[in-house]
Structures are given as C-alpha cells and as structure tokens.
Amino acid sequence: AHSGGATLACAASANAQTTHVDSSRASLSLARANAQASHLDGIRWLCDDAMTFVNRAVRNGDRYDGVIADPPAFGRGPSGSKDWRIARDLPELVGRLTSLLSDEPAFVLLTTHDQDWGEAQLRGALGRIPQLRAGGLRASAPPLPRPGDCAQTGLESGQSVLRASELG
C-alpha cells in the first residue's frame, strides 16, 4: 500500500498547498492516517483517477508548481472506466501536465513500476514538458539497485525514478 510519503514531504514544506490524488480508497486512508500521525493539516484528499483529475484541473485552469506522479504499470479504474496501461497512457498524462504546470515549476517527480520504462523513456517523457526545458531544469535518474540488491533495499525490481531538478 502507498503511505503518502511524498505528499507528507510536500505538505511539511513551508507554504505548500498539497493535493493528494489516488484512486485506491485504502491507499488514501493510509496516507491520511500518516498525515494525521505526523500532525500535518491542510492536505486536499481526493479519491479519483489521476487522468480524470488532471483533465478536470486543466479545464478549471488550475496550475501547480510541482507534480509527483507514481502511476502503476497496469491498473483498473472504477467499473466501466478504461483500464490504465503505462505504455499507452503515460505519454498522454505527461502531455497533459504541460497545461497543469505553472510557467516556472519547482519540480516534477515521475516514477514507474515497469521495467520496460527505463531512464531513456522517462527522460524523453519529461523532455516534452516545455516548462522544464525553459526553466533550466534537467532530468536525472538516481542509480538503481541491481535485482539482487532489491531485497536489501526494499525497492521493487525494475522500478525507475526520474526527476527534474534545478541545474547548479
């Protein structure tokens, strides 16, 4: 289950207005409990499909200075909705972030849980966000553990993390 750790880190930052979106009620409940145990208030909690949320936020003209996206390799939404497939849907999600991000975003953190989506694919996806290029942000990938090391670190085999961070 997801603990909401990234949301809590953002909420703990000075003057951060934080929105947590997850389609899993169980994950959302765990993240809320962790926020309460950490004495963090003011987080906007939404049980929603990420793409639905992003599309609605774009229509409403909402803008964000930072985005953390942690999509599954595969997922099923509510009954009757389209399933999520990272190879098919992540490029669209990243494309929509262009309209969601402020003109000078502080960060974008994008993770994947699909061994076929490595550093090159993530770098390419983030490279299509003009605000990141214009702001002098660069894509970087921390070194990943070897598959045999995963049991020691707790990381899933094949997990990639790529983040845009300021040069300097």
Side-chain angles (χ1 to χ4, degrees):
H2 296 278
S3 64
T7 297
L8 302 184
C10 289
S13 299
N15 299 320
Q17 295 178 357
T18 307
T19 302
H20 181 108
V21 179
D22 200 312
S23 62
S24 165
R25 291 192 189 281
S27 293
L28 199 63
S29 179
L30 177 59
R32 276 184 154 176
N34 286 335
Q36 186 176 21
S38 300
H39 307 290
L40 294 171
D41 296 321
I43 299 170
R44 181 177 169 212
W45 301 99
L46 298 172
C47 187
D48 203 351
D49 169 77
M51 188 61 96
T52 301
F53 168 78
V54 168
N55 286 332
R56 184 176 52 249
V58 167
R59 277 194 312 274
N60 291 339
D62 297 340
R63 302 292 292 255
Y64 289 82
D65 292 322
V67 171
I68 299 170
D70 183 28
F74 174 82
R76 295 193 193 281
S79 132
S81 68
K82 183 172 102 172
D83 63 351
W84 168 272
R85 295 186 188 276
I86 200 165
R88 179 190 67 209
D89 299 321
L90 187 61
E92 180 184 354
L93 177 64
V94 170
R96 298 299 289 160
L97 293 182
T98 299
S99 300
L100 190 65
L101 287 167
S102 66
D103 292 336
E104 297 182 18
F107 67 90
V108 173
L109 176 75
L110 176 62
T111 67
T112 65
H113 303 276
D114 185 328
Q115 62 187 358
D116 294 331
W117 265 80
E119 179 180 349
Q121 289 86 349
L122 291 172
R123 187 178 303 280
L126 287 175
R128 290 190 293 270
I129 300 176
Q131 295 96 316
L132 300 181
R133 292 191 314 266
L137 297 173
R138 64 181 172 85
S140 65
L144 295 174
R146 294 179 307 253
D149 296 338
C150 291
Q152 295 169 339
T153 64
L155 291 175
E156 300 172 40
S157 178
Q159 180 178 12
S160 298
V161 178
L162 189 69
R163 61 179 164 263
S165 58
E166 287 190 69
L167 292 171

